Amino acid sequence: MHLKYFDEVANMKIKQTEINLLRAQFAAIQSKEDLVKILTKAKKLLYGEKATKIHLKSLTYYANPAICKSRYTPFHVKKKSGDNRVIHAPVRGLRIVLSSLNFLLQCLHEPHKTATGFVPGKSIVDNARIHTNSNYVYNIDLKDFFHSFNRNKVKMAFMYQPFGLKKSQEPLAFLLASLCTHPIEIDGKTQMILPQGSPTSPTLSNILCIKLDRRLNGLAKRFGAKYTRYADDITFSSSDNIYTQADFQAELQRIIVDDQKLTINAQKTRLQTKYERQQVTGLVVNDKNVNVHRAYVKQIRMWLYYWETYGKIKAERLFQQDYQKSAVNAQKKAPPLQRILEGKLNFLKMVKGKKNNTYRRLKQRFDELASVAGNNDTKPKKPKRKSSKPLPRPQETKGFLSLFNNSKGLKYLTHKFNDITPPDYTEFMALCKEEFDQGQKKYPNVPTALLERIQQYTFASAPEWFTRKGEEKNYHHMGWSEPKFVEWYQKSSLHPASNAKWNQEMILPFKHTIEVRAGYLPAIIDEAITLALGDSRSSFDIQISNDTIKVAEFYTDVDRFQLALYHIFSTIKTHGEANFCYGLTIDFIKEKSGSTHIKKLIITHVDSEATKPANDEGFIKGDLNTIKTLLWGLCNYNIEAKFPDGFQSKTILADKQNLGKSSEEEEKHIKGFTHILKFY
């Protein structure tokens, strides 16, 4: 057996020398005491050297269901059809013994290459990938698969290769078979069979099906088809329709039913053509690449939208309702939404790959939300130590982005060259890289998402960065290191800003992601208001100081700034409708503090008041925590409002620890719950 068949087991990698040692020890086995020793060795490899010894009396106890009457705990799991599937979970002691035995079985036996289910290192993706881009896909389901293998079949498997227990060692084979099977009532008759839920049942089913796999793979080759088996799910695929041919069906019946004594579930047997959705182990295989159903991605998007739009508490409630609509999940409490989404995204990554655009976009949205997860948990939490997280440094973000206006290299990624003739491409990009690296050292606290966008635009050969329009992200695949652009630049002797295509599709969109330019802030605000307030916009009296806002200009991560505005206006809508206060004012003020220029965007929900004291630990949660996360490193952020304990100015984000209450003079200008964003 090669190591490729082993994943990490119990957080450790099993060496080939250890596998070979187990194989040699099993080949020399003579007695039950020898079996105990080798199972103990397997247990220590699986659970660590501190694992306790397995005793012979434990094996004989668990192997006899007449003595150990509670070996398994049965429970029901709903199928998609709504029927029940009975799972038998072994008690802890038996589970440890069977897990150790299962590990030993995997060391001793190599499954047939066409077996993909319950094989370490293989998955449903590997199973489906074999059948992509085929004209015909033929699926067969084996009925009561595990229950088709009784104790005698399992015992005989231990007496054939690769185990090779001799006739004189039949008691050993019987002991092992008795450990792995269990008396289960099937159609009114109790039989000793493989229980579904035992650690050894999947591996043993692959061992017992090796002849089936060989013969069905031979049948596939004879008819020019491909074959795989994932547990009880058999799949053939081909360019021609061989599946309605009498000789193919006759041979199929002879191998599965007559020879192997297995039962085909006719209700789940189906032939799928390329003109319909072809599925293999739940994955779509119509194209060259394996894919998930569109509904799978749509569901992830929907739940992310719930979380982004309504905050975590309401999103959990909506998710719970959706979860219980399924017949499988009815009356069950859903796991936490965050855990479900994380699992679904991991599955999507496994199927599509971590570089897939759809996965990356959804994962980015999830990460943004997960960064503030836990703040809506209603369970009491233990007091936490003060966070050692550094203060946000918006001045560093401004300083880094200013390089696009006052450097010798990065500036000209968005501005025309001073000279008529563009510089040599290689020398220019080397200068940009040097300035970029120096900028990172000088300004180490620039938000990662912003740096990633600049890197994609400047240095990626396959760039992917985005601009936002409402809820949608518009991805751009143009940048200074993209091969088509490099070729154009070297031939044209022009700066891309001089060319309509490159200027409109690359230069200007990128500028709009790193700088709020004069004249653009009104549009950004209007879009955020429209998206957040929706039909309720007409209910609000919105006063905007256009004279100041239309001349506003500052560097920032425009995408995260837009999202923060959306969440600010979302909170205003929620509290406005709940408390019948519909006044909204927006102003922009420039101030000078020493040699520093401060630009304030002030958003006031008129007559709205804070419902919690300013020092309440739960004050910053939900949308406010999301806003804080989005604005981290972009600006300082204050809340001024009337709190239950009086008028106060509460600092949410600051590059200096300047927390404190406002004075009576300051109280005069507080007209409602006010958000103050301070940019450098």
Side-chain angles (χ1 to χ4, degrees), residues 303 315-325 329-340:
W303 289 340
E316 286 280 5
R317 186 167 66 250
L318 294 170
F319 163 66
Q320 184 78 234
Q321 293 171 359
D322 287 346
Y323 184 86
Q324 292 186 345
K325 286 178 182 177
N329 300 321
Q331 307 305 317
K332 285 172 57 179
K333 183 174 180 177
L337 172 60
Q338 182 172 339
R339 195 170 77 195
I340 290 291

Side-chain angles (χ1 to χ4, degrees), residues 461-474:
S461 58
E464 183 180 80
W465 49 278
F466 63 85
T467 51
R468 188 179 293 274
K469 183 66 177 176
E471 296 179 67
E472 298 298 321
K473 292 179 180 176
N474 180 29

